[in-house]
Amino acid sequence: MTEYDPQKIQYKKQGRLNQKGFTLAELMVAAAILIFCIIGLMQGFTRFSEAGVIAENKIQALTKAQSGIERIRNTNFGTLASWAGTGWRSCEDEGFCEEESGSSGCFRIQSVETNLLQIEVVVAWESIPGRLIGSCQEGVESSPMTLRTLITRR
């Protein structure tokens, strides 16, 4: 059995009571950890904000492409058939797409059969200032936003 020594207990209590606060090294380590966490959160916030802008622009581009297809579908079949095989046309020039800042569209019509046309609409947009996604220039028609549909004579 161990003996009870009140002096040892008193010494241990006094030792704990004399350690008040943190050392400078501990404060510096805590500050460094806090700074790294704040920097990480700020970078995450920035990236999520950019992703939100890109997603919003994609939705606007898709809406514009759908609107363009609907306007093309409401055009006289004879007019569309006369454009078949003529290459890419600007949606804005033909009045099928509204002018919106940061996006442009083009379409082409190909004849599949006598009374059947394939319509392809490509939309390009500016995802963030200075970064263009897709293209509607002749020979460089590429975009992640391409819609295709078939139209028949009514």
Side-chain angles (χ1 to χ4, degrees):
M1 198 179 228
T2 60
E3 295 180 25
Y4 174 71
D5 188 2
Q7 288 180 344
K8 284 185 180 178
I9 292 175
Q10 187 65 26
Y11 175 74
K12 286 183 181 179
K13 283 184 181 178
Q14 286 176 354
R16 286 188 200 142
L17 293 176
N18 287 339
Q19 291 182 352
K20 294 180 181 176
F22 298 102
T23 66
L24 181 60
E26 290 172 332
L27 288 175
M28 290 177 69
V29 168
I33 291 171
L34 184 62
I35 288 171
F36 282 120
C37 290
I38 290 173
I39 289 172
L41 288 173
M42 288 174 51
Q43 286 179 344
F45 178 74
T46 303
R47 292 201 178 164
F48 285 127
S49 295
E50 288 175 0
V53 169
I54 290 170
E56 181 180 348
N57 290 340
K58 281 184 179 180
I59 290 170
Q60 288 177 353
L62 178 61
T63 302
K64 184 174 185 173
Q66 288 174 333
S67 172
I69 281 189
E70 288 305 316
R71 288 181 183 193
I72 291 170
R73 293 179 77 185
N74 291 328
T75 302
N76 182 337
F77 187 86
T79 303
L80 295 177
S82 70
W83 290 344
T86 60
W88 291 94
R89 302 174 83 86
S90 169
C91 288
E92 289 82 4
D93 292 346
E94 301 299 337
F96 293 129
C97 301
E98 297 112 17
E99 294 272 346
E100 291 180 22
S101 61
S103 65
S104 63
C106 58
F107 69 96
R108 72 175 167 189
I109 301 173
Q110 297 176 337
S111 181
V112 177
E113 292 179 9
T114 306
N115 291 324
L116 186 63
L117 300 174
Q118 177 182 352
I119 311 294
E120 182 176 8
V121 176
V122 173
V123 178
W125 68 94
E126 195 172 19
S127 64
I128 54 177
R131 183 173 173 209
L132 187 67
I133 305 292
S135 175
C136 283
Q137 298 173 2
E138 190 68 38
V140 193
E141 306 85 21
S142 65
S143 175
M145 190 68 62
T146 302
L147 298 178
R148 292 181 184 91
T149 189
L150 295 173
I151 297 177
T152 186
R153 185 181 302 272
R154 295 181 198 172

